[in-house]
Amino acid sequence: VTWLVPIVTFSILIGLNMDYDVFLITGILEAKTAGLSTDEAIVKGMVVNGNVIGVAGVIMATAFGGLLFSSTVLNQQLALVIIIDVLFDTVFIQSMFVPAIMAVLGEKNWWPLTIASKPRNKESNGEGDRDPLHTGPRSDGPASASPAYIGSDTRHV
């Protein structure tokens, strides 16, 4: 094995595997926020996004399969490792392992949402009961000032 193969494949595989995980968890979370139970949301997320994940894995395996025909040993090794991992991840991890673990955990899957929705103490961060996921300008500070106020500094240099 060429020394570069583990270093390069690690970063590529983390990106690909996280991408498939985002597809799956987003579908499950959408079903859960629509009012389904955790088990129903897992099934719905798999039904909606399972095909996308499977097809994406086959496409990536096919694309990297072209490197198997390279005359460079490094490319052949990269291709083999990536193909094996992508197929393993899409067939076993994303299709079986992640849904099984989520089914076992049940409502504990959603603990980050409970932390994000807790009201915050005004003294601790100055945010008050503001939504922690809100990305717009604050309504109580200079960011909400009118444009006429924003350039009118009375100090002279």
Side-chain angles (χ1 to χ4, degrees):
V1 174
T2 306
W3 67 271
L4 196 57
V5 171
I7 297 169
V8 173
T9 55
F10 179 77
S11 59
I12 292 172
L13 296 179
I14 291 295
L16 287 173
N17 295 344
M18 290 303 290
D19 192 32
Y20 300 143
D21 207 34
V22 167
F23 284 148
L24 178 61
I25 301 300
T26 301
I28 295 171
L29 182 61
E30 285 176 359
K32 177 69 176 168
T33 55
L36 297 177
S37 71
T38 300
D39 290 335
E40 292 170 338
I42 293 168
V43 171
K44 172 106 175 169
M46 283 301 297
V47 167
V48 171
N49 292 334
N51 291 337
V52 173
I53 293 169
V55 170
V58 169
I59 289 171
M60 293 307 295
T62 305
F64 283 107
L67 290 175
L68 288 173
F69 301 108
S70 173
S71 61
T72 308
V73 174
L74 174 69
N75 288 343
Q76 293 171 347
Q77 291 176 352
L78 283 172
L80 184 64
V81 171
I82 291 172
I83 290 168
I84 290 170
D85 178 77
V86 165
L87 293 177
F88 180 78
D89 185 59
T90 55
V91 172
F92 295 108
I93 303 296
Q94 301 300 329
S95 300
M96 294 181 224
F97 185 72
V98 172
I101 292 296
M102 290 186 77
V104 168
L105 290 174
E107 292 300 316
K108 293 178 185 170
N109 288 308
W110 315 115
W111 69 267
L113 295 177
T114 60
I115 291 173
S117 63
K118 284 184 180 177
R120 304 229 173 166
N121 186 357
K122 269 190 175 179
E123 288 80 29
S124 66
N125 63 2
E127 296 290 328
D129 292 334
R130 191 167 165 239
D131 181 11
L133 301 177
H134 179 73
T135 57
R138 293 178 56 161
S139 60
D140 59 346
S144 65
S146 67
Y149 176 76
I150 292 178
S152 60
D153 191 2
T154 57
R155 293 177 288 159
H156 295 288
V157 182

